[in-house]
Every structure is written in C-alpha cells, then in structure tokens.
Amino acid sequence: MTEALTLPTDGTAGALAGRVWRPDVEGPSVVAVRADGLYDISRHAPTMRDLAERADAAAIVKSGAGERIGSLGEILANTPEVYRDEKKPWLLVPIDLQAVKAAGVTFPRSMLERVIEEQAKGAPEKAEAIRKQVQAQLGGDLRTLKPGSKEAMALKQTLIAAGAWSQYLEVGIGEDAEIFTKAQPMSAVGHGMTAGLHPKSTWNNPEPEVAMVVNSKGALVGATLGNDVNLRDIEGRSALLLSKAKDNNASASVGPFVRFFDATFSLDTVRGLDVHLTVDGPEGFRLTGKSSMREIARDPADLVSQLIGKTHQYPDGAILYLGTMFAPSEDRGDPGMGFTHKVGDVVTIHADPLGALTNVMATSDQAPPWRFGVADLMRNLAKRNLI
C-alpha cells in the first residue's frame, strides 16, 4: 500500500481520479490524484458519476480547484481495515452510482475453461481430463476467430453436429456477448480492502480485468482495473446460479483509480494493455499470470455498444469489466484439483498505465458488510450542500 506500488508507471502524468472517505464530513469525496497529494474536487463533481458525464473531466482532474486532504501515501496507509484510524481519511472504490456490469467469455482461453466448468458440474477433480477432451474437439487457434463471423457460425454448426455445443460457446463465438450484472451500485470494494468469496465455494479464482468507465450517453471516458471474483464450482453446477457465483458481499473489486482519457491515455492504450496477476498465499504459495488485451475476441467498444443503447439505458452510467483470459489450472494442493483461493490470499492486479489493485481475500460473510448505500450518499451530499 505504497504510492510507488499503487500508481501507474508514469505516476500522476494522467488524469487520475478516485474517492476518499472523509471523517470530517462523514462521507465520501471525489478526489484528483496529483503529484503533491489528493485534492477534493467534489464542488466540480459531487459523484464519480457526475465527473464521468463532463466533457472536461480530464481537465478538472488535472487542474480544477480543490481542497488538499492529504498525501496519497498517508491515505493509502490508512486504507486497509486492519490498520485504519477512522478519524483520518481512507481510500474508497473509485466509482459510486454507476451500474457494475461484466462481460463474460470474451477470451478464447476463458471460453474453454467455462465449457470445462460446465461439463465438470463444479467438480475440480474432473477438470483436467475434460480440458484435454474439449481442446481436442475444438482444435485450431480460436484467437483468430471473430465472434459472429461466417467462420464462427460454421464452427458452431460443426460442434452442434458433433454434440459438443455449449452455452458458453454460444456467447464466446456467437453474435451476442454475455453481459451480466456483477454487483449493485455502491457495493464494490476498492484498493487495499477485503474482497469476498461465498463461504460455500470450494473452487474459485480471481479474474484480473480491465473495466471501462461509460457515461450515460454510452461514451467510453476512461478505465480502471477490476477483479471479477469467480466461483467456478457454483457457476459450473448451473449457469442459472450466475448471480450466486458472481454477486456476493465484497465480491466486486475495482480500482485503484479511474484514469480518464486524455493525451496520455486512450482507448487504443486499453486495447494494447497487459494485465498482470499475483496471488500470494498465507502458506507461501505464489501464483502469477498475465492477460493480454490484444487477445480479446470482442473489442471494448463493441462490448459497450451491446451494454448500452436504444434497447438499454443507464442514466448514471456504468462500468464494464471486459473479461479475462486468465483461468488458473495449476494445482495448489492435491493433484488434479487445480487452483482455489484460501482465506488470507493477497491478490494484486497490475497494468502499467492503471496502477495496481490489491485485495486480501476473506469469506463474504466475514468481509466488512456493505452499509453505505445510495440513500446515505444523497443525504450526505445534501447536508454538505453539494446537491
């Protein structure tokens, strides 16, 4: 939880915005992350949703007048719950009123793993044998296959004829993307906070992802990092259990900051990102991996166009997790059982232009409960004469 490990590799050169809890006003503030500290810019935009709606968002973050509330280092150090002094400010998740959505099965490797989960029926010990079988059935390099193309539809018919079709292949190579609700507005957790796993799950993993920030008009205005915590056993039993597999207390992690598009950072930057993952276990176990946005099957702009438009509106905007190619199969314990989390795992997701998002894993019933919702936010902002 240091500045050097949290910030992008170019430091504060970009338009970085976040949210901080201010005990002196008993509520959250939108902040600009600058070289000399964090500045409260709530007078320009009382919520991150409002900042994302502004055409001059990046300019406000870079130079808008605001009150300095402390150094980034001081506020980062006070963020983890175990060390927190509640009389001092701490970092929050950098989104608020936006819908929290996620796209699934957007990388060929993760598509294969979803098919394996489905056929394994949530039993990790069956996964490796099924993995070899599925790879043999599909064959070829799926990274070059464009979803919805003639070639993809021809493969679909071949797999149907072979009795090998799957609902995950439908969204992986078909016309329509899988886009689902990951969490409710205001419920996500941020950098340095505890992230949650449902206590019933015995086969699960992190999903390191880029998350697009989208305003109410459907414009892509920036990006951040996300951990779309996944319960492989529960989703593998039935896709109808997706809500239980995905939306639990503290199971959506986002941060550390939103980087708005400007001369230093663009959608093309996102398209070329490498997203790195490290899991450090309490028993000394370490897992590393990398997900390259260059291998995504659906372009971020296409995914956002399927999220919001004439058929579906989000007046407060949204963030959209773009999916991951990372689905760990390395054994952590018994042979053939693959990877699953342990309580106390430290998960770090890093991309050079976005910084690092770190969380400590706990069961969702032991993670701090979500208590501050939209009604609380509105009352607090009204009390402060911000709305």
Side-chain angles (χ1 to χ4, degrees):
M1 296 299 293
T2 65
E3 292 188 41
L5 294 176
T6 298
L7 286 170
T9 51
D10 60 353
T12 57
L16 301 176
R19 293 170 66 246
V20 166
W21 183 271
R22 293 187 57 175
D24 57 331
V25 297
E26 300 180 317
S29 287
V30 177
V31 297
V33 184
R34 298 173 183 165
D36 61 341
L38 301 188
Y39 285 79
D40 188 335
I41 55 172
S42 299
R43 293 291 169 187
H44 298 279
T47 67
M48 189 63 77
R49 175 267 179 203
D50 292 313
L51 185 59
E53 293 294 310
R54 297 193 58 149
D56 59 349
I60 289 172
V61 173
K62 293 295 293 180
S63 58
E67 175 189 356
R68 187 182 184 276
I69 58 174
S71 73
L72 175 58
E74 292 167 342
I75 291 172
L76 283 172
N78 196 47
T79 295
E81 295 96 347
V82 66
Y83 304 123
R84 185 176 299 162
D85 179 350
E86 296 195 353
K87 296 179 181 179
K88 298 178 180 179
W90 64 86
L91 198 66
L92 295 171
V93 63
I95 57 171
D96 41 45
L97 297 177
Q98 294 96 334
V100 185
K101 310 292 283 190
V105 202
T106 55
F107 287 81
R109 179 176 174 183
S110 66
M111 177 177 68
L112 294 177
E113 290 300 317
R114 298 294 86 76
V115 175
I116 291 161
E117 287 170 13
E118 179 185 41
Q119 295 192 16
K121 306 297 183 186
E125 67 275 9
K126 299 179 181 178
E128 187 56 36
I130 295 171
R131 184 173 291 110
K132 293 177 181 177
Q133 178 186 355
V134 169
Q135 288 173 336
Q137 287 175 325
L138 292 178
D141 187 356
L142 295 178
R143 291 176 297 179
T144 63
L145 192 66
K146 181 176 175 57
S149 66
K150 291 182 180 179
E151 293 79 8
M153 294 303 96
L155 175 60
K156 175 179 178 178
Q157 293 306 316
T158 298
L159 293 171
I160 289 173
W165 191 243
S166 161
Q167 60 197 335
Y168 292 105
L169 291 169
E170 177 65 48
V171 296
I173 67 175
E175 293 180 330
D176 299 316
E178 178 194 19
I179 297 177
F180 58 91
T181 297
K182 170 62 182 177
Q184 303 307 304
M186 299 285 294
S187 70
V189 298
H191 179 52
M193 298 180 181
T194 302
L197 300 157
H198 197 286
K200 285 188 176 180
S201 176
T202 58
W203 186 25
N204 45 66
N205 63 259
E207 291 193 349
E209 305 187 17
V210 175
M212 301 307 307
V213 180
V214 184
N215 69 17
S216 64
K217 301 175 184 66
L220 289 75
V221 299
T224 185
L225 294 171
N227 184 356
D228 179 15
V229 178
N230 182 41
L231 310 183
R232 302 187 70 179
D233 47 357
I234 291 176
E235 184 179 355
R237 283 163 46 204
S238 171
L240 298 180
L241 293 173
L242 185 65
S243 61
K244 193 177 192 71
K246 292 289 189 179
D247 185 7
N248 300 295
N249 181 44
S251 67
S253 174
V254 178
F257 311 112
V258 170
R259 184 164 186 169
F260 284 92
F261 291 150
D262 63 1
T264 70
F265 183 67
S266 68
L267 183 55
D268 281 339
T269 312
V270 171
R271 291 179 173 124
L273 282 180
D274 288 330
V275 181
H276 300 268
L277 171 76
T278 304
V279 178
D280 288 302
E283 81 282 31
F285 173 87
R286 168 167 272 216
L287 176 74
T288 62
K290 183 178 78 169
S291 185
S292 173
M293 286 295 296
R294 290 179 291 275
E295 295 188 31
I296 197 168
R298 300 182 190 270
D299 188 76
D302 173 57
L303 289 169
V304 169
S305 73
Q306 296 200 42
L307 164 75
I308 184 170
K310 291 183 178 180
T311 60
H312 211 137
Q313 294 80 47
Y314 293 94
D316 293 315
I319 69 154
L320 178 64
Y321 289 82
L322 295 179
T324 185
M325 64 180 285
F326 186 74
S329 56
E330 175 184 340
D331 288 332
R332 184 172 191 173
D334 295 334
M337 292 298 289
F339 172 85
T340 197
H341 271 303
K342 292 182 183 294
V343 169
D345 280 350
V346 178
V347 179
T348 298
I349 298 167
H350 175 267
D352 285 349
L354 295 173
L357 169 65
T358 298
N359 300 102
V360 179
M361 304 307 298
T363 54
S364 55
D365 56 341
Q366 294 301 312
W370 172 35
R371 300 198 187 280
F372 192 88
V374 175
D376 298 289
L377 177 62
M378 294 300 104
R379 292 188 190 101
N380 180 263
L381 294 176
K383 181 180 178 181
R384 294 157 61 188
N385 294 316
L386 292 173
I387 57 172

